[in-house]
């Protein structure tokens, strides 16, 4: 759980850095470079698919086992350290998973909004217009809302998940745990802001591709 | 002061229970929480009702017998305190107090507020010891132990086995309990010889006995009357990984 | 009848070794054919069950708690003595032996105490090997401290939780045997009878406290490790469930009860706050190192302590015992506190408390030093009383804490009933009339780890294993007796609760059979206790049924036994026309109030034999002889 999670976090970080190319106008070039290495891309995709699948299978298994271990709830329950995020990992995770399918259909397979698909549109330099696809999509309030909602779920998931993975792999200690908890939450927040900024800024018209 | 109590009543293991309402009248602020319940019980007996069954013994916070969830918190609102050491001065006249048993699959209710916690003994039976025979051991000072390690062992060994960590855990996990024992023994040279085997069989026993997994809510540390820390869980995880890495190499 | 403790002959230091050589052994292949029933899983019980299981015997272990990790040994704070002499300050086995004998006011057996002192060292080795986290210094060596006024530092400790750590060590050893299949555990089980067949203990009758089922277990020997009886006083530092039932029912089946009047009252406990009080909490005696004990000079002074000027305070320990002052021995400090309260100068709402004041110590050393030394105790005091002892003096009062008396046993820890062994606080053997601090843990573990494994073999080797089964008529009779007693308790349906009676008994015991006993008071107790007992059997109300978990029923059985046992205690105290250790008769004191022993007439163990409830018990004497120490008079002036 923790190890797959950590690998997924690494991906999420790299993915965000890649996406930020949209602000410098280099997104199309970045996408093109990636696609010029098909073997690497496919290996990468396979690894990610495995990690995602394992993470989901483990996660659901864990959730079911844990629910079984606590069959009755208290009439009154007061949380002392547990948070909304920590208690809803399976839901924020599943939401992220569903979103991921949408996201792939949208930007990778490009069948959800075919009118803006990069596969059928080129930019000035003849590269597939990924940037245009993104900008065009996010000008739609509905699409942006889906992304904002999903990225919020991911934020909640990571705000607990990052520090939790360090604890579960035994990397944390008495001294480092508070730092890890804080760093995990900050990382989740930075990722959230990074990801959420794209649909939001595009929608309000600050980024035009 | 006068209080309204909502207390879990359940006749036996296989019967359904429910919260029942009781009035506790003229409660002194000097009383301990259990003395307040004693008082309620005395009245119940005199009114031909069956008294509330609850576990308790030493009443000085060390035996680990007392086990009640008070207003949603194991051992009640005061930090690092067992129910028996909780006093009524922490409540106000007119308060409503909800009193429930530990809840977890591994702790079935036997009666009212009493649960069966033998699953924790099973975890210890799996490997929570150093396999030493009586007699034939070296002089106590033959193996030196750094003060730091001895202190860590002692910190972990303060666990009273009450089960509040399990009761507080949304997953009904006994990870803090198990981790405390693992840390205690793994911090000492005498305990290191069996450390790898121990961590594997004890965690396995934890799952076998119906406890959940740890997903790092840290409710356990907040509920622990002895302040056992979740860093011991990280230690357990470390020991676990070490054991498996060693195994696979 | 004169009793024989069966102490081996020879020089003191060689007795145990020689005895071990002479004891018979049980063939390893035969061991598993012998079943040993161990009742109680405190230090003595857990260590005995673990060790006997490890040797290959078939062990059944019983405890009334839900887990064997909860025996009241767990509450011992201070430490455990051993004659290791690690600090090189002149300690030795002989010195520990001598201190223990003297501390017990020369009312214990020399041979037993010497063995205890000898085994003390093995205990520390054993516990360290088990992983007991004793305190260590920066070089990694074990740390020692001086405890309870000892002149040497021989006390090993694990923070303020030594009893807990030692018990967890023994519990772990026990759990290991449970896994190995040599020990079967019976938690939430209360022993209600010993079964004796042809004069030998061959089993016990036990109530399953969850299902209410009463059943019997047959065995080849029975070990009672069931602790002390301080709860006869209702309020004590013992656990709520601590009781005399196992020992007392063995007494009723013919085992002799020795020196029941020897009880220890601990001076530094948190006072009673009202009628609702259910138990008393002890605070470490070390507080007296820096605290000054006082009460107002004036009777019924209702001013707050800080309003009372120094000149109007009576520092009574310093006044009466200038040599020792606030560090006067436990019994003296306790008695003096009771005296000033009885005069009407007690403090707190109940009037039963004296101040333990840290004002001067804080002025002298600073609050931070006091906080460092006693922070956890001040916190505990605050938790219970809601008072800040840095700002106002603590209130303390004595409380029953430990009982030195118990079932009579010989050097083999065997009672006069063959096959019935008694270990730990439940026996009478090692502490004489008073117990030194940090010695109770030592005795429990010595008995369990190192004595019983040898001595029980001596008995078993000559017994045929599995001679009786639970189908024997004696077992059926025992179950019937237990059931009819239960039925009787449930059928009375009177007006007063079990607690009402227990509280009343406690009042009588505290008043007349407590710290200072007089002929008149004891005779009064001997009249009041039977009266209360007969009222109990007519007017007690025990709700519920016997067929499930019924805590009132459990309590009722225990209080019924206390109501008989209290009388035996008073009788023993009346018989002992001397003051010694924890037994103080006001008729027998030095002009300065010190205990006045009568070695000429009372240097013996009084072992009582049950003759029926309406008859006086017979007393058997075991004379105590001292060949290695001279009987000295204690003086703390």
């Amino acid at each position: 759980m923790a190890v797959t999670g950590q690998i997924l976090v690494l991906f999420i970080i790299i993915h965000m850095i890649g996406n930020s190319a949209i602000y410098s106008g280099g997104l199309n070039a970045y996408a093109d470079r990636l696609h010029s290495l098909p073997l690497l891309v496919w290996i990468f995709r396979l690894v990610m698919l495995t990690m995602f699948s394992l993470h989901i299978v483990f996660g659901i298994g864990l959730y079911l086992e844990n629910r079984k271990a606590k069959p009755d709830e208290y009439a009154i329950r007061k949380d002392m350290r547990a948070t909304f995020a920590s208690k809803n990992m399976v839901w924020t995770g599943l939401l992220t998973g569903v979103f991921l399918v949408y996201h792939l259909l949208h930007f990778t397979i490009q069948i959800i909004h075919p009118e803006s698909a990069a596969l059928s549109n080129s930019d000035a330099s003849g590269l597939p217009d990924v940037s245009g696809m993104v900008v065009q999509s996010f000008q739609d309030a509905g699409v942006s809302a889906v992304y904002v909602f999903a990225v919020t779920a991911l934020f909640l998931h990571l705000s607990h998940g990052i520090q939790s993975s360090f604890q579960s792999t035994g990397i944390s200690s008495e001294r480092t745990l508070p730092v890890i908890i804080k760093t995990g939450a900050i990382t989740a927040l930075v990722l959230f802001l990074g990801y959420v900024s794209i649909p939001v800024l595009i929608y309000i018209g600050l980024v035009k591709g | 002061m006068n209080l309204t109590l909502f207390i879990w009543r359940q006749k036996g293991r296989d019967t359904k229970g429910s919260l029942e309402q009781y009035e506790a009248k003229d409660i002194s602020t000097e009383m301990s929480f259990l003395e307040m319940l004693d008082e309620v019980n005395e009245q119940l007996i005199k009114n031909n009702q069956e008294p509330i069954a609850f576990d308790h013994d030493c009443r000085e916070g060390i035996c680990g017998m007392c086990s009640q969830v008070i207003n949603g918190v194991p051992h009640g609102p005061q930090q690092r305190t067992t129910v028996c050491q909780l006093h009524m001065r922490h409540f106000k006249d007119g308060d409503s107090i909800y009193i429930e048993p530990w809840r977890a699959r591994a702790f079935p209710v036997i009666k009212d507020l009493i649960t069966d916690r033998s699953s924790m003994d099973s975890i210890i039976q799996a490997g929570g010891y150093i396999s030493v025979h009586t007699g034939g051991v070296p002089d106590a000072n033959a193996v030196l132990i750094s003060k730091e390690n001895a202190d860590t062992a002692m910190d972990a060994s303060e666990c009273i086995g009450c089960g509040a960590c399990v009761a507080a855990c949304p997953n009904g996990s006994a990870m803090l309990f198990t981790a405390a024992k693992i840390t205690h023994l793994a911090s000492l040279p005498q305990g290191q010889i069996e450390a790898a085997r121990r961590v594997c069989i004890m965690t396995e026993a934890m799952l076998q006995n119906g406890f959940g997994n740890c997903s790092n809510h840290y409710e356990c540390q907040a509920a622990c009357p002895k302040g056992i820390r979740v860093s011991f869980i990280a230690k357990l995880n470390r020991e676990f990984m070490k054991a498996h890495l060693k195994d696979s190499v | 009848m004169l009793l024989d403790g069966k102490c081996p002959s020879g020089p003191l230091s060689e007795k145990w070794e020689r005895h071990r050589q002479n004891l018979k052994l049980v063939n390893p292949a035969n061991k598993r054919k012998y079943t040993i029933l161990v009742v109680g899983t405190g230090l003595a019980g857990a260590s005995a069950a673990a060790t006997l299981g490890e040797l290959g015997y078939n062990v059944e272990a019983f405890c009334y708690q839900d887990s064997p990790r909860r025996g009241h040994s767990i509450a011992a704070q201070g430490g455990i003595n051993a004659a290791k002499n690690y600090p090189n300050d002149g300690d030795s086995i002989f010195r520990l032996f001598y201190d223990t004998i003297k501390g017990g006011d020369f009312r214990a057996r020399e041979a037993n105490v010497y063995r205890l002192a000898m085994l003390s060292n093995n205990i520390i080795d054993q516990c360290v090997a088990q992983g007991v986290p004793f305190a260590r210094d920066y070089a990694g060596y074990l740390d020692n401290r001086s405890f309870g006024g000892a002149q040497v530092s021989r006390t090993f400790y694990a923070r303020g939780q030594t009893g807990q750590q030692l018990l967890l060590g023994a519990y772990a050893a026990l759990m290991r045997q449970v896994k190995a299949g040599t020990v079967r555990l019976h938690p939430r089980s209360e022993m209600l009878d010993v079964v004796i067949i042809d004069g030998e203990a061959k089993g016990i009758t036990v109530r399953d406290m969850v299902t209410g089922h009463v059943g019997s277990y047959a065995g080849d020997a029975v070990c009672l490790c069931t602790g002390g009886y301080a709860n006869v006083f209702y309020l004590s530092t013992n656990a709520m469930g601590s009781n005399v039932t196992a020992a007392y029912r063995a007494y009723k089946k013919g085992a002799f009860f020795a020196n029941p009047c020897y009880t220890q009252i601990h001076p530094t406990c948190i006072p009673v706050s009202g009628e609702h009080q259910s138990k008393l909490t002890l605070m470490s005696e070390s507080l007296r190192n820096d605290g000054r004990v006082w009460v107002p000079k004036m009777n019924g002074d209702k001013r707050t302590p800080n309003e009372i000027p120094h000149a109007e305070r009576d520092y009574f320990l310093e006044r009466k015992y200038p040599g020792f002052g606030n560090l006067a021995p436990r019994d003296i400090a306790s008695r003096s506190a009771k005296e000033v309260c009885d005069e009407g100068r007690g403090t707190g709402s109940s009037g039963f408390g004296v101040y333990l004041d840290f004002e001067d110590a804080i002025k002298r050393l600073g609050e931070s030093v006091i906080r460092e030394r006693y922070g956890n105790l001040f916190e505990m005091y605050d938790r219970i009383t809601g008072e800040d002892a840095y700002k106002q003096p603590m209130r303390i009062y004595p409380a029953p804490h430990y009982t030195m008396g118990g079932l009579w046993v010989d050097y083999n820890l065997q009672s006069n009933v063959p096959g019935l062994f008694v270990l730990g606080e439940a026996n009478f053997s090692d502490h004489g009339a008073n117990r030194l601090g940090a010695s109770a843990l030592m005795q429990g573990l010595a008995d369990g780890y190192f004595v019983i494994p040898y001595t029980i073999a001596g008995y078993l080797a000559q017994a045929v294993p599995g001679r009786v089964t639970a189908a024997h008529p004696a077992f059926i009779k025992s179950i019937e007796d237990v059931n009819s007693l239960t039925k009787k308790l449930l059928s009375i349906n009177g007006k007063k609760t079990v607690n009402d009676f227990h509280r009343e008994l406690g009042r009588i015991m505290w008043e007349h059979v407590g710290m200072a006993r007089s002929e008149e008071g004891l005779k009064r107790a001997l009249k009041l206790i039977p009266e209360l007992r007969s009222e109990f059997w007519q007017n007690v109300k025990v709700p519920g049924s016997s067929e499930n978990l019924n805590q009132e029923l459990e309590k009722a059985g225990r209080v019924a036994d206390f109501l008989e046992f209290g009388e035996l205690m008073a009788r023993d105290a009346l018989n002992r026309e001397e003051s010694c250790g924890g037994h103080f008769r006001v008729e027998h004191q030095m002009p300065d109030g010190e205990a006045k022993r009568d070695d000429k007439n009372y240097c013996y163990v009084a072992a009582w034999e049950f003759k029926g409830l309406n008859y006086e018990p017979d007393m058997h004497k075991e004379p105590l002889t001292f060949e290695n120490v001279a009987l000295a008079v204690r003086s703390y002036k």
Side-chain angles (χ1 to χ4, degrees):
Chain A
M1 193 82 241
V3 175
T4 53
Q6 282 171 343
I7 293 168
L8 292 174
V9 169
L10 279 181
F11 165 71
I12 291 168
I13 293 171
I14 294 166
H15 188 50
M16 190 193 79
I17 294 168
N19 286 356
S20 62
I22 197 168
Y23 296 124
S24 60
L27 187 62
N28 290 353
Y30 166 69
D32 187 56
R33 193 143 15 113
L34 277 185
H35 284 274
S36 65
L37 306 161
L39 186 66
L40 200 71
V41 167
W42 276 106
I43 290 174
F44 187 76
R45 279 176 178 167
L46 273 177
V47 171
M48 289 326 295
L49 183 69
T50 318
M51 287 303 138
F52 261 111
S53 311
L54 286 176
H55 196 70
I56 292 166
V57 169
F58 286 158
I60 293 175
L62 209 57
Y63 168 74
L64 292 176
E65 269 182 41
N66 289 347
R67 209 176 57 162
K68 210 166 98 192
K70 194 88 171 178
D72 304 306
E73 250 316 321
Y74 296 104
I76 288 194
R77 179 186 166 86
K78 200 175 144 215
D79 289 325
M80 293 166 285
R81 292 275 301 265
T83 57
F84 178 81
S86 75
K87 287 187 299 178
N88 290 289
M89 288 299 277
V90 70
W91 306 119
T92 52
L94 285 176
L95 277 175
T96 308
V98 170
F99 163 75
L100 181 68
V101 174
Y102 172 82
H103 184 53
L104 289 175
L105 291 176
H106 183 193
F107 284 150
T108 308
I109 308 172
Q110 305 178 4
I111 54 170
I112 289 196
H113 299 280
E115 69 285 356
S116 61
L119 293 172
S120 44
N121 299 299
S122 301
D123 66 359
S125 40
L127 297 173
D129 192 4
V130 177
S131 183
M133 169 176 76
V134 172
V135 172
Q136 232 177 326
S137 300
F138 289 154
Q139 277 161 355
D140 179 336
V143 176
S144 278
V146 167
Y147 275 79
V148 170
F149 180 72
V151 171
T152 308
L154 180 67
F155 163 68
L156 288 171
H157 198 76
L158 294 184
S159 69
H160 175 72
I162 294 177
Q163 60 90 5
S164 180
S165 74
F166 280 86
Q167 171 79 357
S168 293
T169 45
I171 296 168
S172 61
S173 70
E174 185 65 29
R175 207 163 34 82
T176 56
L177 184 62
V179 182
I180 290 174
I181 291 177
K182 216 170 274 170
T183 314
I186 292 172
T187 310
L189 186 69
V190 169
L191 289 171
F192 171 73
L193 292 175
Y195 277 114
V196 89
S197 64
I198 301 174
V200 168
L201 295 182
I202 291 174
Y203 182 70
I204 61 176
L206 284 181
V207 175
K208 296 192 165 59
Chain B
M1 60 182 163
N2 298 318
L3 303 160
T4 307
L5 309 175
F6 297 89
I7 302 176
W8 186 262
R9 301 304 304 264
Q10 182 172 336
K11 279 202 162 0
R13 232 178 241 269
D14 305 317
T15 51
K16 266 185 109 67
S18 60
L19 281 173
E20 303 290 331
Q21 185 175 340
Y22 300 91
E23 303 299 322
K25 297 217 180 320
D26 298 325
I27 297 302
S28 151
T29 51
E30 298 291 305
M31 285 181 181
S32 72
F33 197 84
L34 297 185
E35 284 165 353
M36 182 273 291
L37 284 180
D38 288 344
E39 191 62 38
V40 171
N41 272 345
E42 291 288 290
Q43 292 311 318
L44 287 176
I45 296 167
K46 284 174 179 158
N47 294 331
N48 288 316
Q49 286 173 282
E50 202 168 337
I52 302 145
F54 60 90
D55 265 334
H56 64 103
D57 201 21
C58 78
R59 296 208 179 184
E60 46 187 284
I62 192 78
C63 78
M65 194 92 171
C66 59
S67 42
Q68 298 168 19
V69 174
I70 299 165
N71 287 340
V73 180
H75 290 303
Q78 201 183 9
Q79 288 252 302
R80 297 193 65 164
T81 305
T82 53
V83 182
C84 64
Q85 295 279 76
L86 176 66
H87 279 68
M88 294 313 292
R89 68 180 72 89
H90 299 287
F91 296 89
K92 306 188 300 294
D93 186 40
D95 274 359
S96 289
I97 306 177
Y98 285 78
I99 310 171
E100 299 178 70
W102 280 179
R103 292 203 189 282
R105 180 164 69 126
F107 293 166
V109 172
I110 295 175
K111 186 178 186 179
D112 297 345
L113 302 171
I114 297 183
T115 57
D116 179 352
R117 288 172 284 185
S118 51
S119 46
M120 287 199 297
D121 287 329
S122 302
I123 296 178
I124 300 295
Q125 278 161 25
Y129 42 76
I130 292 169
S131 302
V132 55
H133 291 269
T134 305
V137 297
D139 182 87
N141 261 343
V143 181
L144 300 183
I145 304 174
S146 76
K147 183 166 164 46
E148 199 187 8
N149 284 340
D151 284 349
T152 306
M154 182 64 214
D155 286 346
S157 192
E158 282 195 28
C159 168
I160 58 173
C162 64
C165 46
V166 180
C169 178
N171 309 340
S173 173
M175 197 68 155
L176 190 66
F177 171 78
T178 311
K181 190 44 67 189
I182 294 286
T183 306
H184 161 212
L185 297 176
S187 304
L188 303 169
Q190 291 88 348
Q192 266 160 13
I193 294 157
E194 296 169 277
R197 206 177 101 79
R198 182 183 303 119
V199 70
C200 296
I201 50 182
M202 281 182 80
T203 43
E204 181 57 32
M206 184 178 92
L207 298 177
Q208 291 294 323
N209 278 280
F211 292 99
N213 300 281
C214 179
S215 58
N216 305 317
H217 295 290
Y218 308 139
E219 283 288 295
C220 50
Q221 175 173 319
C224 178
K226 296 293 151 185
I228 305 287
R229 305 182 298 261
V230 293
S231 57
F232 299 151
I233 295 181
K235 166 87 172 165
L236 180 150
N237 289 328
R238 224 160 28 241
E239 291 286 325
F240 189 81
M241 294 208 156
K242 224 162 65 185
H244 281 270
L245 284 177
K246 215 198 280 172
D247 233 24
S248 50
V249 169
Chain C
M1 179 169 88
L2 280 187
L3 283 168
D4 178 10
K6 302 201 186 103
C7 295
S9 57
L12 191 59
S13 60
E14 290 169 25
K15 281 181 196 283
W16 175 233
E17 197 49 47
R18 282 193 193 187
H19 187 62
R20 269 172 41 176
Q21 295 308 320
N22 294 333
L23 278 167
K24 289 204 180 72
L25 296 173
V26 175
N27 181 316
N30 277 342
K31 280 190 180 137
R32 66 184 167 78
K33 295 181 189 159
Y34 289 96
T35 298
I36 303 172
L37 309 172
V38 179
V39 186
T41 56
L43 280 184
S47 57
T51 306
L52 293 170
E54 189 180 274
L55 286 173
Y57 296 108
N58 179 31
V59 178
E60 308 269 350
F62 302 83
C63 64
Y64 74 77
Q65 299 90 344
D66 72 330
S67 160
R69 64 180 291 152
R70 308 203 199 279
H72 199 56
S73 313
I74 208 165
Q77 300 169 356
I80 177 165
N81 286 334
K84 282 282 194 187
N85 193 29
Y86 284 153
N88 195 27
D89 56 359
D91 199 10
S92 64
I93 289 170
F94 190 86
R95 192 177 290 276
L96 175 56
F97 152 75
Y98 182 75
D99 287 354
T100 308
I101 279 273
K102 180 169 174 244
D105 233 352
F106 303 96
R107 290 294 175 264
R109 269 187 216 133
E110 274 191 341
N112 278 61
V113 178
Y114 194 86
R115 175 177 66 188
L116 177 66
M118 237 163 51
L119 295 176
S120 67
N121 291 341
N122 303 49
I123 295 171
I124 302 303
D125 297 342
Q126 184 67 30
C127 292
V128 166
Q130 281 173 347
V132 170
F134 285 120
R136 287 179 184 264
D137 61 21
Y138 282 100
Y141 290 91
L142 288 157
D143 196 20
N144 290 117
R145 63 183 174 198
S146 155
F147 193 78
Q151 306 286 327
V152 291
S153 292
R154 61 160 73 106
T155 304
F156 294 78
Y157 63 100
R159 298 221 175 113
Q161 291 121 286
T162 316
Q164 180 199 25
Q165 294 310 315
L166 296 176
L167 182 59
L168 292 182
Y171 159 77
L174 178 63
M175 288 293 116
R176 178 170 161 253
Q177 292 308 313
V178 171
K179 190 187 185 192
T182 60
V183 178
R184 280 212 307 156
L185 267 187
H186 305 271
R188 293 198 196 269
S189 300
E190 180 159 33
M191 185 199 115
L192 294 175
D193 199 14
V194 184
V195 180
I196 293 176
I197 295 169
D198 302 332
E200 304 196 15
K202 288 295 165 202
I204 57 173
T205 296
V206 171
R207 180 170 181 272
D208 179 324
M209 292 156 77
V210 177
T211 64
H213 176 258
V214 174
S216 282
Y217 292 85
D220 298 289
V222 176
C223 295
L224 295 187
C225 315
T226 51
Y229 48 82
N231 270 349
V232 71
F233 291 101
Y234 182 65
L235 290 179
S236 81
T237 65
N238 279 9
M240 299 299 285
S242 301
N243 65 79
V244 78
T245 290
Y248 190 75
R249 295 199 182 173
Y251 162 73
K252 284 174 95 169
K253 282 294 182 78
F256 298 164
F257 212 110
N259 301 333
C261 76
Y262 291 160
T263 50
Q264 188 176 75
I265 314 269
H266 197 286
T268 51
C269 297
I270 299 176
V272 177
S273 65
E275 184 79 353
H276 57 261
Q277 190 96 19
S278 61
K279 85 150 259 158
L280 298 170
T281 305
L282 177 130
M283 287 186 298
S284 169
E285 224 173 342
S286 62
L287 287 169
R288 290 199 284 147
N289 288 336
D290 285 306
R292 296 181 72 193
V293 178
W294 64 276
V295 288
K297 279 187 177 161
M298 191 171 70
N299 258 13
D301 194 333
K302 286 288 163 224
R303 287 176 291 177
T304 63
N306 294 337
E307 286 168 0
I308 300 174
H310 275 261
E312 292 173 43
R313 299 176 179 186
D314 177 12
Y315 294 90
F316 55 92
L317 285 179
E318 296 171 20
R319 171 172 59 81
K320 284 159 72 176
Y321 308 97
F324 268 77
N326 297 299
L327 289 172
R330 285 181 178 181
D331 53 325
I332 290 179
S334 298
R335 224 159 36 235
S336 305
K338 182 172 190 291
E339 272 165 26
V340 294
C341 292
D342 289 347
E343 286 167 19
R345 297 194 284 145
T347 66
S349 55
S350 65
F352 291 100
V354 298
Y355 291 126
L356 180 64
D357 200 339
F358 291 87
E359 191 188 350
D360 291 341
I362 289 173
K363 266 188 208 146
R364 190 176 72 245
L365 304 162
E367 193 178 308
S368 61
V369 174
I370 296 298
R371 196 176 288 277
E372 197 178 299
R373 281 185 195 168
Y374 311 110
N376 56 342
L377 295 167
F378 278 46
E379 191 190 313
M380 179 171 89
Y381 181 78
D382 188 10
R383 197 184 293 269
I384 291 170
T385 62
E387 291 171 11
D388 180 357
Y390 295 103
K391 301 216 160 59
Q392 66 185 89
M394 277 184 180
R395 289 172 299 110
I396 55 166
Y397 201 61
H401 175 53
Y402 186 89
T403 54
M404 283 72 69
L407 290 175
W408 183 87
V409 290
D410 61 17
Y411 188 71
N412 291 323
L413 303 182
Q414 183 168 232
S415 72
N416 57 303
V417 178
L420 181 67
F421 293 80
V422 190
L423 284 65
E425 190 180 352
N427 74 26
F428 88 106
S429 68
D430 294 358
H431 304 298
N434 208 355
R435 179 180 64 76
L436 288 183
S439 281
L441 302 178
M442 175 171 73
Q443 187 222 340
L445 288 181
D447 288 359
Y449 283 134
F450 299 113
V451 180
I452 197 73
Y454 293 99
T455 60
I456 205 167
Y459 168 75
L460 292 175
Q462 50 81 46
V464 184
R467 191 163 61 82
V468 294
T469 66
H472 191 282
F475 284 99
I476 295 163
K477 168 85 170 47
S478 169
I479 293 175
E480 276 170 11
D481 290 349
V482 167
N483 280 333
S484 77
L485 187 80
T486 305
K487 219 163 159 188
K488 198 166 153 198
L489 284 168
L490 288 167
S491 67
I492 301 165
N493 200 21
K495 297 248 175 303
K496 283 162 79 173
T497 64
V498 175
N499 266 356
D500 290 337
F501 284 101
H502 196 179
R503 198 178 288 124
E504 187 53 38
L505 173 68
R507 228 172 257 143
I508 296 169
M509 298 305 290
W510 181 248
E511 202 49 48
H512 302 298
V513 200
M515 277 179 280
R517 300 155 174 174
S518 67
E519 184 180 343
E520 193 199 341
L522 291 167
K523 285 189 169 155
R524 177 129 186 83
L526 284 173
K527 189 170 159 296
L528 291 173
I529 299 168
E531 282 172 13
L532 184 67
R533 187 168 63 229
S534 77
E535 195 200 340
F536 174 87
W537 285 106
Q538 279 155 21
N539 199 24
V540 73
K541 188 180 185 75
V542 185
S545 83
S546 62
E547 272 119 52
N548 60 18
L549 195 148
N550 186 341
Q551 294 176 312
E552 282 298 308
L553 177 64
E554 295 159 16
K555 262 196 299 194
R558 295 169 192 163
V559 170
D561 288 330
F562 278 133
L563 280 164
E564 294 179 16
F565 175 75
E567 198 181 335
L568 181 67
M569 242 176 97
R571 201 174 295 283
D572 185 46
L574 186 63
N575 167 69
R576 192 162 284 277
E577 289 274 359
E578 65 163 349
S579 295
C580 59
H583 169 66
F584 187 82
R585 284 286 300 269
V586 293
E587 299 92 343
H588 305 285
Q589 51 180 313
M590 304 292 200
D592 57 10
E594 262 286 0
K596 191 172 161 196
R597 244 179 26 231
D598 181 351
D599 293 330
K600 200 160 144 260
N601 297 305
Y602 289 94
C603 198
Y604 64 76
V605 175
W608 299 88
E609 180 184 5
F610 184 70
K611 285 287 173 190
L613 195 54
N614 300 316
Y615 302 89
E616 284 195 17
D618 272 356
M619 189 187 67
H620 303 285
K621 290 182 184 176
E622 183 200 337
L624 292 168
T625 49
F626 293 91
E627 294 162 354
N628 299 279
V629 297
L631 275 64
V633 176
R634 190 179 75 157
S635 176
Y636 290 99
K637 285 280 168 174

